[in-house]
Amino acid sequence: MKAIKIFFVTVGILALLNLIFILATGNMHFGHIALGFLAVVVILYGAFFEKIAKKIHIALWLACSVPVFFVGFLAVYGRGGGVDYTEDAVIVLGAGLRGDEVGGHLARRLDTAIMYLNRNPNAVVVVSGGLGAGRNITEAEAMSRYLAAHGISPERILQEGASTSTYENLAFSKEILAGHFPDGFRAVVVTNDFHIFRAVRQARSLDIDAVGLGASTPWHSFAANYLREMLAIVNFLIFG
């Protein structure tokens, strides 16, 4: 019993330390609040473990099985591929900047897009992201600079610098690509693996012929981002 208590309290404390680390190195979002809440719950669960009734333990473990399955599904789906390297365009979704430079998540997305673009030299790429609070340039401009610095010809790069959400990323990118491909186009949506399921569903809801290509998620931000994404998917499935 004591070992179980120590285990859960330790896990909760490690989650809080993880939260402090990612807040110090990245932009805050709702997933961080969810992670902090979960960490406190785990610590309290461990601290009062022996005082909790058996039926409540069972109910809690059954309840926990749902998000665990959800996370596994998102991880597998996000790394499942589906591209055939004959698509017409790549849409890279924005993910925040550090100053005027791309952050860690966004760099991974762009590196994944570069890999694809090098294998499919006929494809164009839309970099999608607007002007964040306190920023001097749009995400799209920073992303364009990153791609150009890594060997992607500027003639292949189309900027969408007005969006502030995943939905707008996709809707505004569609408008740009519809003008570029009047007879229709097939697109690869590039984002982090946890985000692929929702991004592809939203793209298809906008009548974009799309598949997803997932970039890896840094281990230290795994919990916060998957928590945030699960809540965002529930919101998307309920409200569209």
Side-chain angles (χ1 to χ4, degrees):
M1 187 71 71
K2 184 177 180 180
I4 295 175
K5 291 182 63 173
I6 293 174
F7 171 78
F8 282 108
V9 171
T10 301
V11 168
I13 292 173
L14 289 175
L16 286 177
L17 292 174
N18 174 235
L19 177 60
I20 293 170
F21 175 77
I22 55 181
L23 287 177
T25 58
N27 299 317
M28 184 175 181
H29 56 64
F30 186 75
H32 299 137
I33 298 173
L35 178 59
F37 176 79
L38 181 61
V40 172
V41 169
V42 171
I43 291 172
L44 292 175
Y45 180 70
F48 297 98
F49 186 85
E50 78 282 1
K51 297 180 181 180
I52 299 173
K54 183 177 180 180
K55 61 183 180 181
I56 296 178
H57 282 299
I58 295 173
L60 288 172
W61 281 103
L62 288 175
C64 288
S65 67
V66 176
V68 169
F69 173 81
F70 207 165
V71 167
F73 169 77
L74 292 179
V76 171
Y77 188 96
R79 304 300 291 175
V83 302
D84 60 18
Y85 298 95
T86 64
E87 291 83 7
D88 302 296
V90 177
I91 302 173
V92 187
L93 306 184
L97 303 179
R98 292 180 184 172
D100 291 342
E101 304 294 328
V102 301
H105 283 89
L106 190 49
R108 289 178 182 240
R109 297 181 187 189
L110 292 166
D111 289 341
T112 299
I114 290 167
M115 177 275 295
Y116 178 93
L117 292 165
N118 286 335
R119 289 189 60 177
N120 181 6
N122 296 317
V124 299
V125 55
V126 179
V127 286
S128 180
L131 185 66
R135 304 304 182 194
N136 297 314
I137 62 173
T138 64
E139 290 180 24
E141 175 62 28
M143 295 158 75
S144 179
R145 293 178 184 178
Y146 187 95
L147 291 178
H150 288 78
I152 303 301
S153 171
E155 287 74 24
R156 299 176 69 188
I157 304 171
L158 307 173
Q159 291 191 35
E160 182 290 294
S163 57
T164 59
S165 67
T166 297
Y167 180 86
E168 290 183 353
N169 285 152
L170 295 165
F172 298 165
S173 294
K174 178 186 176 182
E175 292 179 7
I176 292 173
L177 289 171
H180 203 78
F181 298 101
D183 296 325
F185 62 90
R186 295 172 61 230
V188 176
V189 178
V190 175
T191 184
N192 290 93
D193 47 19
F194 63 84
H195 193 208
I196 285 290
F197 177 82
R198 180 164 60 98
V200 171
R201 294 275 162 315
Q202 286 190 313
R204 291 174 180 173
S205 74
L206 289 164
D207 295 322
I208 300 174
D209 183 4
V211 294
L213 183 59
S216 61
T217 300
W219 66 268
H220 58 80
S221 65
F222 186 94
N225 281 298
Y226 272 89
L227 282 170
R228 177 195 188 192
E229 189 61 20
M230 284 190 290
L231 296 172
I233 288 174
V234 170
N235 180 73
F236 171 68
L237 293 176
I238 295 174
F239 300 107

